[in-house]
Amino acid sequence: MIGIIMFFVALVLLLFGFPVAFTFGGVALIFGVFAEGMDMFAFMPFRIQSYMENTVMMAVPLFIFMGIVLQKTQLAEQLLEAMGKLFGSVRGGLAISTILVGTLLAASTGVVGASVVAMGLISLPVMMKYKYSKSLACGTICASGTLGQIIPPSIILIILGDVLGIPVGDLFHAALLPGFVLIGAYIVYILIVTWLNPEAAPAIPHDESMGSRKEQVLDALKAIVPPLALVLIVLGSIFTGIATPTESSALGGVGAVILSLLYRQFSFKMLIDSATETVKVTAMVFAILMGATAFSMAFSYTGGDAIVEEVLLNLPGEKWGFIILSMVAILVLGFFIDFVEIAFIIVPILAPVADMLGINMVWFAILIAMNLQTSFLTPPFGFSLFYLKGVAPSSIRTMDIYRGVVPFILLQIAVLISILLFPDFYGMG
Amino acid sequence: ADGKVYRLTMAETWNANFPIFGDAPRNMARIADEMSGGRLKITIDSANKHKAPLGVFDLVRSGQYDMGHSASYYWKGKVPNTLYFTTMPFGMTTPEQYGWFYYGGGQSLMNKVYEPFGLLSFPGGNTGNQMGGWFQKEINSVEDLQGLKMRIPGFAGEVLAKLGAKPTNIASGELFTALERRTIDALEWVGPSLDLRMGFHKIAPYYYTGWHEPATELQFLVNARTWKKLPDDLREILRTAMRVSSYDMYIQSYHESAENWATMKQEFPDIQVKTFPESVMKAMYKANQELLAEKASEDPLAKEILDSQAEYLAKARVWTNISDRAYLDSLDNLED
Amino acid sequence: MFLVNLEKTLGRYSLFLGRVSAILLLLLLVNVFYDVLMRYAFNDVSIAMQELEWHLYSAIFLLGIPFGIQVGSHVRVDLFYERVTLRQKAWIDLIGTLVFLMPFVLLVGWYGIGFAHEAYALGETSGDPGGLPARWIIKSVIPVAFFSMAVSGLAMILRCINALRGVSDAGFDTQSPQH
Ligand code: NA
Ligand code: NA
């Protein structure tokens, strides 16, 4: 019960606007010490150490650095503008480009913090420059940034494979089509929105200086080459086995610095400034993780996990009722506990029931992964939302972000339902 | 005995619902509860709750938890002599090692290592012989080990490094991609039961038989202050519960491995099961003995443990040969 | 004036940590690049260099957090905060720092000392062949970072007091750094 009260208290206190990380930490401390005594916090160094030794998270500073260098050298801006122009009169070109860039990042990392922040740095300023609706821009970035969860390689799929006893390769394979359908749904949504409301995502205005169509295409190609080379380095190094996905993020960072040299944008000041900015953003991401780990510690050590277990054990024992209620339960829990906890605590409770009901476990795993991806987007505790807020200019308000993600959450739920209803289409019948 | 209920907490290194490994402490807790008529209650927290899979030693030592379930060799970086109480390359088989622990002086040597840290350690269940790992290329000679990038942590990695292999750290979440893309050439995991879940059989053709972990023994850790507080009968109940559940885990592992092996051979007939050639085994054995001699020369307690193991192994192996091996050999070719 | 100067001095310490983190980040890039290059091109792997990666990475984020407090880069839910006056912001930050931030970072820092000391007392090293020795060094970054957060927190308290006394509103005009 304490866990539930703690959750709502944190919710209210967050609204006052004190930094999220320390509000979580402080609330955890007050409730934890009150219920269990100070000694619970002796666990904190161990919890922090588990982040320190989690080398997959190293992608966070490294990809952020790559994003910041690309931004400072204007290479990212040129890429997105060029892609936007290439789509020509298509409104929403920048948003679609953002989704495509997000897809490429997703294919090289499964760490949401790294993707959302890098995307926020790379494309938010450009979309703002071209007067995109704030909420559309924010929603697009948050949603694209979470694609790393479903597009392999993905941490959540690896964990689910482990928990459910399914080979990781099978899950990676099965996740591809749902991932592409989701990306397609995002793009279709952007096209519809910009058709209904041209103001939301204006086309990059055409002026004479931009030259003929042919010149535009050439310009676009020129602008695309350097960042594309970078993407090829990152993805290529993973694909050829030169580097692990995490290491590829460092190659991306080094590659970005080399590009800045080639394009005469390099200076030591730029390098140090980029590193300093990276530290600020990285610290923001990890402070939230530190606060959240304290919060989840207090939640589980005061009996929160037991309550959740009990609720789940009372789910109905008939196929559709079970699936629908377990999906709703995961979605709701995703509002306030992190996906690792869900994978390790909730999924093992559901798995034997699913097995008994003859449910295809790969299908079940993909449903859960899609569902957990959504939990990164759901206000108020969606980590993507915090991360984007942390790098957004102050003209972007929390409300813009909340409003922006709602349609994308609905899209994800729609795709989730389509996987539920048409497993055969997704090859998981 | 008084009617007081003793409630102990236990941290395990494994995540919730981890098969076999996680069954041992749960069986232990159930047996202790029933034998004591409910006077000994043990609750178990998994790694996903305490977030310190490799911090169990510290958590039990400091008294944050009364007990732990883990493996002794994880503490090698903290207390070097803990290395010897899990399994050793070219070492004893499971029955031989249990003989050493319970009747051959192993337990009292383990006490000698753990006591200074306010801890008691007991055998905690055995996995049986572990497989040597998944390889992208065949190992036909010692030269093939040169520059072989393999994920193989701990002492076994040290042995291979002596022969020119390159032990490599890869986060477990990235192992599959790393082996598939040949960022590394080989890796060792556990055995058929857990390896198949990782899907390694789909990306690497060769599955080598084991040499480095012939009898991996897990461990129950108990905080010495907790132990002291328990009345005599509960201590005996706890000791019995630990011993029975350990033995049971060994049998369960044996059973599951047999089942999984059968399934694997049936579903994935393409997996090529290999044994290292004699020249490679000899080189590894030599490197192993050299490393052990080094360790023994550095620390008197290490020497005492290694001597005890070597002596026991020599004696027990004669019996193993004349009993199990002779029996199995005599069955060969019966069908011809 | 004393409080304003003290605030600046404490602030300089946090900025110094930010500088250290930034340099460690560049070293991390070089470190990972070197490891990939050596493994792929020269078939050589150094466990020590591989472990140095996570040593650097964790020092970066841990030492970066106090720096982030100083420069105000920690994210806030601003549904309400953006609409209030400077004085009200100062009150929110003052109370938040005293009730949430300070107790949290001091308590974690305190337990961090025991954690690092344990590694020192045991002479803990890496358990892997050729790994880095002296685990206590990286473990002691935890208490150092959390006590540094307390230093940044103290600077934040002074900043709020100075703003409430009306002597300086530094720090409140530059919330949420821009990129
Ligand atoms: Na991914
Ligand atoms: Na959420």
Side-chain angles (χ1 to χ4, degrees):
Chain A
M1 203 54 214
I2 292 172
I4 312 290
I5 299 171
M6 183 176 78
F7 169 74
F8 285 104
V9 169
L11 200 63
V12 171
L13 290 175
L14 276 179
L15 290 178
F16 280 94
F18 192 68
V20 172
F22 301 105
T23 307
F24 273 137
V27 171
L29 181 130
I30 293 164
F31 279 82
V33 168
F34 168 74
E36 291 283 309
M38 297 238 279
D39 272 352
M40 185 205 282
F41 277 77
F43 287 120
M44 274 304 288
F46 292 98
R47 297 177 91 87
I48 294 166
Q49 190 191 5
S50 77
Y51 281 108
M52 294 165 68
E53 292 183 351
N54 183 351
T55 50
V56 173
M57 298 293 286
M58 218 160 61
V60 172
L62 295 172
F63 268 129
I64 292 171
F65 178 79
M66 182 185 88
I68 287 177
V69 172
L70 282 180
Q71 186 218 27
K72 281 207 186 294
T73 55
Q74 263 129 38
L75 289 167
E77 190 175 342
Q78 284 166 24
L79 166 75
L80 287 172
E81 282 181 359
M83 282 171 80
K85 280 178 199 160
L86 212 54
F87 289 112
S89 54
V90 178
R91 289 190 290 256
L94 281 176
I96 293 171
S97 307
T98 297
I99 294 170
L100 296 180
V101 173
T103 305
L104 292 174
L105 267 183
S108 49
T109 178
V111 181
V112 170
S115 301
V116 170
V117 168
M119 300 289 298
L121 292 165
I122 293 173
S123 43
L124 191 55
V126 188
M127 286 199 271
M128 289 300 96
K129 180 175 159 191
Y130 288 99
K131 306 267 180 303
Y132 266 52
S133 131
K134 285 176 193 166
S135 58
L136 181 70
C138 291
T140 307
I141 290 171
C142 285
S144 308
T146 55
L147 284 172
Q149 288 283 294
I150 196 92
I151 308 277
S154 138
I155 293 171
I156 188 64
L157 290 177
I158 289 168
I159 294 180
L160 284 174
D162 181 27
V163 171
L164 293 171
I166 306 167
V168 177
D170 293 5
L171 281 186
F172 280 7
H173 185 78
L176 278 178
L177 189 56
F180 286 124
V181 168
L182 191 60
I183 294 163
Y186 289 174
I187 293 176
V188 169
Y189 166 72
I190 300 282
L191 291 175
I192 292 173
V193 165
T194 52
W195 180 63
L196 290 175
N197 178 13
E199 301 285 285
I204 294 180
H206 185 87
D207 65 54
E208 295 310 311
S209 69
M210 281 162 67
S212 69
R213 181 72 184 152
K214 195 176 147 197
E215 281 167 340
Q216 271 177 39
V217 172
L218 275 178
D219 280 352
L221 284 178
K222 254 190 270 172
I224 286 176
V225 167
L228 197 64
L230 200 56
V231 167
L232 286 181
I233 290 173
V234 171
L235 291 184
S237 66
I238 299 173
F239 199 71
T240 54
I242 293 173
T244 65
T246 305
E247 290 167 339
S248 78
S249 58
L251 300 189
V254 172
V257 173
I258 293 174
L259 279 182
S260 74
L261 276 167
L262 290 177
Y263 283 77
R264 299 177 191 286
Q265 302 275 358
F266 178 85
S267 69
F268 281 103
K269 184 173 180 310
M270 186 280 287
L271 193 64
I272 289 287
D273 285 354
S274 300
T276 308
E277 283 297 298
T278 306
V279 167
K280 275 185 207 167
V281 177
T282 304
M284 178 276 288
V285 170
F286 280 90
I288 292 177
L289 292 174
M290 300 292 100
T293 195
F295 194 76
S296 100
M297 174 177 78
F299 181 80
S300 62
Y301 278 94
T302 54
D305 50 355
I307 294 177
V308 170
E309 265 184 62
E310 197 174 314
V311 170
L312 289 171
L313 286 170
N314 290 316
L315 288 180
E318 149 282 317
K319 185 176 169 184
W320 285 104
F322 167 79
I323 288 197
I324 290 167
L325 284 178
S326 61
M327 286 298 126
V328 171
I330 291 176
L331 193 64
V332 171
L333 286 170
F335 276 83
F336 51 100
I337 56 180
D338 85 271
F339 75 94
V340 178
E341 289 297 297
I342 294 182
F344 279 120
I345 310 269
I346 314 292
V347 175
I349 300 175
L350 302 176
V353 186
D355 206 24
M356 217 170 58
L357 295 171
I359 291 168
N360 176 337
M361 285 314 234
V362 172
W363 179 59
F364 194 55
I366 299 294
L367 287 175
I368 294 172
M370 190 66 97
N371 199 328
L372 289 180
Q373 188 195 338
T374 313
S375 80
F376 276 88
L377 291 179
T378 45
F381 287 4
F383 279 22
S384 293
L385 315 175
F386 291 144
Y387 297 151
L388 182 63
K389 183 72 183 62
V391 292
S394 52
S395 61
I396 303 274
R397 296 172 175 182
T398 303
M399 213 44 189
D400 296 324
I401 301 179
Y402 284 3
R403 256 200 295 267
V405 290
V406 170
F408 288 93
I409 294 172
L410 295 177
L411 281 175
Q412 298 213 349
I413 295 176
V415 174
L416 183 72
I417 291 173
S418 81
I419 304 175
L420 260 178
L421 296 180
F422 311 109
D424 288 319
F425 169 77
Y426 291 95
M428 292 178 279
Chain B
D2 54 13
K4 187 178 166 198
V5 176
Y6 289 80
R7 291 178 196 280
L8 308 187
T9 55
M10 176 191 263
E12 62 176 351
T13 287
W14 338 110
N15 275 314
N17 303 292
F18 194 64
I20 309 176
F21 288 47
D23 293 334
R26 279 161 190 79
N27 275 329
M28 196 279 293
R30 183 183 49 77
I31 295 167
D33 186 357
E34 285 177 15
M35 284 177 74
S36 65
R39 285 167 54 232
L40 190 51
K41 296 269 183 208
I42 300 168
T43 53
I44 301 164
D45 284 348
S46 305
N48 47 282
K49 179 161 177 176
H50 57 69
K51 304 278 190 214
L54 301 183
V56 169
F57 181 96
D58 311 68
L59 289 176
V60 179
R61 174 162 145 77
S62 68
Q64 285 289 104
Y65 281 92
D66 298 300
M67 297 184 68
H69 188 248
S70 191
S72 187
Y73 62 4
Y74 291 142
W75 323 128
K76 170 185 180 240
K78 300 177 198 284
V79 182
N81 287 333
T82 54
L83 168 67
Y84 310 111
F85 301 99
T86 305
T87 183
M88 294 302 287
F90 302 100
M92 294 178 267
T93 63
T94 307
E96 291 167 349
Q97 190 170 268
Y98 271 139
W100 178 67
F101 270 124
Y102 291 128
Y103 297 100
Q107 178 68 59
S108 70
L109 284 167
M110 183 148 71
N111 293 345
K112 224 172 170 174
V113 169
Y114 280 91
E115 257 163 15
F117 303 96
L119 290 166
L120 287 90
S121 171
F122 300 90
N126 204 286
T127 67
N129 202 332
Q130 297 203 3
M131 291 296 284
W134 298 90
F135 287 69
Q136 291 288 19
K137 57 178 198 174
E138 246 181 293
I139 304 296
N140 294 318
S141 66
V142 181
E143 284 74 63
D144 289 340
L145 291 176
Q146 275 297 319
L148 182 90
K149 288 166 287 189
M150 181 166 185
R151 181 261 177 210
I152 177 162
F155 184 72
E158 227 169 313
V159 173
L160 284 185
K162 245 178 122 72
L163 299 174
K166 302 290 176 188
T168 306
N169 282 344
I170 301 279
S172 63
E174 297 192 323
L175 267 182
F176 181 84
T177 316
L179 184 64
E180 183 186 31
R181 298 294 171 204
R182 304 197 177 203
T183 313
I184 52 172
D185 308 306
L187 60 82
E188 71 91 37
W189 200 236
V190 181
S193 52
L194 295 170
D195 291 12
L196 293 188
R197 291 162 60 116
M198 295 288 283
F200 298 136
H201 54 289
K202 300 203 165 169
I203 52 174
Y206 305 110
Y207 198 17
Y208 273 85
T209 56
W211 60 279
H212 67 297
E213 298 206 14
T216 309
E217 184 67 36
L218 306 183
Q219 155 194 66
F220 285 113
L221 277 173
V222 188
N223 180 296
R225 275 165 292 161
T226 302
W227 186 255
K228 219 176 258 168
K229 267 192 309 207
L230 291 177
D232 288 345
D233 65 327
L234 289 190
R235 272 191 217 169
E236 196 51 33
I237 286 171
L238 189 57
R239 209 193 305 266
T240 306
M242 291 190 290
R243 185 149 169 179
V244 171
S245 60
S246 301
Y247 177 72
D248 189 71
M249 183 189 132
Y250 171 43
I251 303 305
Q252 188 194 0
S253 300
Y254 208 93
H255 168 74
E256 297 275 345
S257 298
E259 292 274 331
N260 279 293
W261 190 261
T263 314
M264 186 188 89
K265 292 300 277 183
Q266 196 181 356
E267 286 180 17
F268 308 101
D270 294 342
I271 297 173
Q272 302 185 49
V273 180
K274 297 268 174 192
T275 299
F276 292 112
E278 203 183 297
S279 64
V280 174
M281 289 298 280
K282 275 189 172 152
M284 292 197 294
Y285 181 74
K286 186 165 165 273
N288 185 62
Q289 296 310 100
E290 284 168 13
L291 274 174
L292 292 183
E294 255 171 59
K295 305 240 176 225
S297 71
E298 283 163 8
D299 181 275
L301 184 51
K303 181 167 164 38
E304 195 183 341
I305 298 165
L306 287 167
D307 285 350
S308 163
Q309 287 186 332
E311 235 168 81
Y312 195 85
L313 171 64
K315 208 184 309 163
R317 188 60 52 84
V318 174
W319 173 242
T320 304
N321 285 340
I322 207 67
S323 56
D324 288 347
R325 188 194 302 239
Y327 169 70
L328 294 173
D329 285 349
S330 68
L331 298 185
D332 280 353
N333 312 319
L334 281 188
E335 304 277 323
D336 292 354
Chain C
M1 210 52 219
F2 168 72
L3 289 183
V4 176
N5 287 334
L6 182 61
E7 179 201 330
K8 280 187 182 145
T9 311
L10 296 179
R12 270 196 293 274
Y13 170 69
S14 305
L15 295 180
F16 165 75
L17 291 182
R19 181 52 62 98
V20 171
S21 271
I23 291 167
L24 294 180
L25 177 83
L26 295 175
L27 291 177
L28 173 64
L29 268 181
V30 175
N31 187 170
V32 179
F33 185 77
Y34 171 87
D35 286 346
V36 171
L37 185 75
M38 290 306 283
R39 189 183 59 224
Y40 187 72
F42 302 98
N43 228 23
D44 198 7
V45 180
S46 157
I47 295 280
M49 286 296 282
Q50 279 200 310
E51 287 185 357
L52 188 59
E53 289 178 8
W54 70 257
H55 280 61
L56 288 172
Y57 137 80
S58 25
I60 291 163
F61 80 75
L62 284 171
L63 298 178
I65 296 177
F67 170 61
I69 297 174
Q70 179 61 31
V71 296
S73 68
H74 291 295
V75 56
R76 302 167 184 268
V77 173
D78 59 5
L79 296 175
F80 171 73
Y81 191 80
E82 68 185 0
R83 291 162 210 266
V84 300
T85 63
L86 189 143
R87 278 186 72 80
Q88 285 166 322
K89 283 182 182 167
W91 274 114
I92 289 174
D93 281 0
L94 182 63
I95 295 170
T97 310
L98 285 171
V99 178
F100 295 150
L101 189 145
M102 291 303 258
F104 177 64
V105 301
L106 286 172
L107 195 59
V108 176
W110 164 251
Y111 283 110
I113 295 178
F115 183 71
H117 180 260
E118 186 77 6
Y120 180 77
L122 291 177
E124 186 176 355
T125 66
S126 163
D128 281 321
L132 292 175
R135 247 326 121 78
W136 66 270
I137 297 177
I138 189 63
K139 286 192 172 178
S140 58
V141 178
I142 296 178
V144 168
F146 276 81
F147 287 124
S148 300
M149 289 175 215
V151 172
S152 303
L154 195 57
M156 191 135 129
I157 291 172
L158 294 175
R159 196 182 319 155
C160 296
I161 292 175
N162 290 333
L164 289 172
R165 285 161 68 226
V167 290
S168 156
D169 61 358
F172 285 90
D173 44 349
T174 59
Q175 290 297 341
S176 186
Q178 300 322 316
H179 305 280

